[in-house]
Amino acid sequence: MKDPAILAFLEACLQEDIGAGDLFERLVSPKEVKAVVIAKQAGVFSGHLYADMLLEHMGIKRVWHTQDGAPLKPQEILLEMCGDYALLLKIERVLLNLLQHSSGIATHTARFVALLKGLPVRLLDTRKTRPLLRVFEKYSVRNGGAQNHRLGLDDALMLKDTHLAHIGDLKTFMQRARTQIPWTAKIEIECTSIAMAKEVMQVGADIVMCDNMSVEDISQVVAYRNGHYPLVLLEASGNITQENILEYAQSGVDALSSGSLIHQAVWVDMSMKLGS
């Protein structure tokens, strides 16, 4: 079954590129040809869900030789297609953009995931996504082996420093929040110090985010949590890189979040070649 939201997204992608109509299409007669999409560098493949729905929507026959999350090898044939010559050229850029962008995020994410192998900590993305591409980019993160943080403002209440600056009595605010937000929704609060982390546990936060805190301070927060509020989840965030991620992971937190999984990813190079 086609996801209507994804289909609407794909139609918008096509409309952006095609506009009032492909000028080349006016100049050629219908002709059925074959085409392939080839990986030009190593990585992790992602984008099958979107690309396959695009090709089905456009009536292009295809055979896939890979799947989401699979490793990529240079010169590997990922996809074989058969369809009208002009039609294949018309969707080429949208198809490749989707696959290259998605695979770039999955590849970058997989590098972080590999560093955490065997450790009991989850790797999360953030809401630092390109406008209107959040679902697509977070899908790509999952294909790289990480897990999504909240999708938007409606699936968890997260209080950051900008929220807290205008909340006087946090305990009273939390009591009111519990009666106003869905019963199943968690409350996460961003903390920048050990004292603040202790305070938000005491007022009933479900998740404490240790934001831009040192590994040493985070370890103290973990010890306090373990001794007093074992059901509270701890997340570390802020300037987590491939070079320091192991230190943060070994601090004892439950999760690490990094916007760089998405905004620092580089596209994986691919190309489409037409045959006869």
Side-chain angles (χ1 to χ4, degrees), residues 112 116 120-128 147-149 158 160 188-193 197 201 206-222 225 232-241 244-261:
F112 281 78
L116 299 174
V121 63
R122 302 190 184 198
L123 179 63
L124 313 175
D125 55 21
T126 71
R127 283 167 49 241
K128 294 177 182 177
Q147 191 171 347
N148 298 144
H149 203 282
M158 185 170 173
K160 301 171 74 69
E188 179 170 5
I189 302 180
E190 179 185 272
C191 299
T192 55
S193 70
M201 285 188 227
D206 299 301
I207 307 171
V208 174
M209 176 193 280
C210 299
D211 183 54
N212 284 295
M213 292 173 61
S214 69
V215 174
E216 292 74 18
D217 284 356
I218 292 173
S219 296
Q220 290 189 50
V221 172
V222 170
R225 184 277 306 270
V232 171
L233 296 173
L234 295 180
E235 173 188 342
S237 187
N239 296 310
I240 293 176
T241 66
N244 65 24
I245 193 169
L246 266 181
E247 294 180 69
Y248 283 98
Q250 292 167 347
S251 68
V253 293
D254 302 290
L256 305 170
S257 59
S258 175
S260 71
L261 299 182

Side-chain angles (χ1 to χ4, degrees), residues 161-187:
D161 58 345
T162 43
H163 297 89
L164 296 170
H166 295 280
I167 296 175
D169 184 342
L170 183 57
K171 183 176 181 180
T172 300
F173 179 89
M174 290 288 284
Q175 291 171 342
R176 185 161 62 89
R178 292 297 184 190
T179 67
Q180 298 297 315
I181 67 173
W183 185 70
T184 56
K186 287 185 170 67
I187 299 178

